Amino acid sequence: MSLLEIKDLTQLFSGLCAVSELNLSLDERELVGLIGPNGAGKTTVFNIVSGYYQPSQGDIRFQGQSLAGLKPHKVSALGISRTFQNIRLWKEMSVLDNILVAQHYNLGYGLGGLFFRTPRYLKREKDIRHHAMELLEIFKIDKYAEEKPSNLPYGMQRKVEIVRALSADPKLLLLDEPAAGLQATDVSELIELIRWVFEQFDLTIWMIEHQMKVVMSLCSRISVIDFGRLIATGTPEEIQQNHEVIKAYLGDDQI
Amino acid sequence: MKRLCVPILLFLLLSLLMGLAYFEVIDLYIQTIILFMGINIITSTSLNLVNGNMGEFSCGHAGFIAVGAYVSSVLSVALFTKSKIFGAPLLPPELAAYGFPFVLICGGIASALTGLLIAIPSFRTRDDYLAIITIAANYIIITAIINIDKIGGARGFMGMKRVIFAMEECAEIPWMVLWVFVFTVLTVIIIRRYMTSTYGKGVEAIRQDEVAAEIMSVNTNRIKLVTFMISSGLAGIAGGLYAHAVGYVNPKSFDILKSTEALVMVYLGGMGSITGSILSAVIFTLLLELLRPLQIIKWVAIPLLLIIIMQFRPEGIMGHRELSDIFPKLKKFYKFK
């Protein structure tokens, strides 16, 4: 059974068709790319999958369960986590607090426990903190735990955002242009990081990326969309040869 | 040592205040100012939760104070004293001293429920709209009180002094100093526990990026409701204390001007800072008394002060920092974050 199944997905924004009849499925333990020219509707697809938009038509199933009508926080509790194109960390909170807040799906205590500081509450808070610190250590950013994200270099902020997404223990990780705005050296580091994450964690990674170097070297399968339509899907080699894709990116050579 | 330091200090302060009041070293005027300080601390820290930490803009805090004041006043007068409206006391007046905190909490719960009623429709809209809705709610509450003749209407409601006398029958101590102190400390503890928990950090996340918060598994609607209810509930307790400290409530004293006072305290102290709100509540109370000789010009001087602060220090006295951030040595004794 596939992990994520998108069926006849259509998204209309007051008449504008951002995504049209998209069919796509992801298997478990896959590293898949989603590419397409600017404005093709890639981020819209991610926004629908993470529950931020409700699709106009079609259905999305995650591990067999329909995501229709679920709010984003419910979707992320099911195991879909994501990063954003323009980093959206909480900038005035410490890096550690950023990770902590992402644990809201699994706090395990109620307001009563919070105000009376019951043993259960104290234990859960300790566990959550421990889990967060552990992750920061794995990614060797524990020395920035008390730092505010805005004081970190851009590449490091990307890393923190990926760690925050991972901290929710996702089955599906959506990366929205992880290489955007990074310098060349940082990009090769990012490729290594994503590969490492994919090997170490039991998850499927689906990423949008414009830098072909990143997509071609990481993804085993790539889907291409243009004007909200799926125009091709296949291995990196197949995609590079695909006539439709070349046309979408470079235009028709018949002119 | 670190754990005991603050409780011991608070206990000493309470005994000092109670002692001074009991042996009449400080007169009733000074006592009232001290009571107002405590009440204002509750008002500003609770409003700070919504305006400072959550980043919403609630302008009708006085409405919740009014609900708490009236509910707890009516309850305590009906339960513990003989009055024209409610007749004989429903409970023996000797119980007043012990029943008083429950009456206050009832006022708080009533306020929290009112807060819930207002929050549900208002959080479907955003930012400025909450400001408008809360101002409207403030007026609705005031107008409702004015039109309920049974509780005095526009004339106000009194009889709470008799509740205090009933408490003093039980033991001759300055009860109001005790209760204001206890509830002020409780308020600060509640807010601090809330904001230092991972759950409460979701409130900060909502202020900084609500979309990211919702997508990173924070149930934003629920947290907003809970936070708003805590804030309005605590305001209700402040109202109950105010009503019993003054002994008389009037709907006019909870109008938009009172809400503005609460806002001034929050912005003066610094958004999102508990110690800032406490500090500014104390300063503001003192300032109001010091400027009393100016009479009506007072209301020119205080807004002017606000304008000056916004010009030169828009983040307020503390501005999202706690006292222990500014003086790190204090962390040896307590930590606020």
Side-chain angles (χ1 to χ4, degrees), chain A residues 73 76 88 92 115 125, chain B residues 193 198 207-209 214 217:
Chain A
H73 72 265
S76 71
R88 293 186 93 150
E92 290 163 42
F115 287 124
E125 281 281 299
Chain B
R193 288 196 168 179
T198 301
R207 189 190 75 239
Q208 292 171 30
D209 190 335
E214 175 72 31
S217 83

Side-chain angles (χ1 to χ4, degrees), chain B residues 225-303:
Chain B
L225 284 185
V226 168
T227 311
F228 205 73
M229 280 178 78
I230 293 174
S231 168
S232 49
L234 291 172
I237 290 190
L241 288 168
Y242 172 82
H244 288 83
V246 179
Y248 163 76
V249 281
N250 181 317
K252 266 278 166 273
S253 49
F254 302 110
D255 63 0
I256 198 80
L257 203 62
K258 183 90 178 166
S259 296
T260 316
E261 269 181 43
L263 281 172
V264 170
M265 282 191 279
V266 170
Y267 290 93
L268 180 72
M271 308 278 275
S273 164
I274 303 175
T275 40
S277 296
I278 297 172
L279 210 65
S280 72
V282 172
I283 293 172
F284 187 75
T285 316
L286 286 175
L287 211 63
L288 276 185
E289 291 310 317
L290 288 176
L291 295 178
R292 195 171 283 276
L294 290 178
Q295 291 177 350
I296 198 71
I297 302 176
K298 186 170 77 172
W299 287 110
V300 177
I302 289 168

Side-chain angles (χ1 to χ4, degrees), chain A residues 50 52 71-73 76 81-82 84 88 90-93 97 100-105 107 109 111 114-117 121 125 128-129 164-165, chain B residues 190 192-194 196-202 204-223 226 230 320:
Chain A
S50 53
Y52 185 57
K71 296 201 112 212
H73 72 265
S76 71
S81 206
R82 69 173 288 184
F84 300 89
R88 293 186 93 150
W90 298 296
K91 297 217 163 56
E92 290 163 42
M93 261 192 243
D97 283 352
L100 289 179
V101 173
Q103 311 303 309
H104 261 246
Y105 73 103
L107 285 179
Y109 58 76
L111 280 173
L114 189 162
F115 287 124
F116 292 105
R117 297 229 159 138
Y121 164 78
E125 281 281 299
I128 291 169
R129 202 164 273 269
R164 181 178 74 175
Chain B
I190 285 175
R192 189 175 159 246
R193 288 196 168 179
Y194 187 60
T196 48
S197 70
T198 301
Y199 188 84
K201 278 172 186 154
E204 290 273 330
I206 288 174
R207 189 190 75 239
Q208 292 171 30
D209 190 335
E210 190 177 337
V211 172
E214 175 72 31
I215 286 178
M216 297 317 295
S217 83
V218 177
N219 189 345
T220 49
N221 271 350
R222 206 187 130 195
I223 290 202
V226 168
I230 293 174
H320 277 295

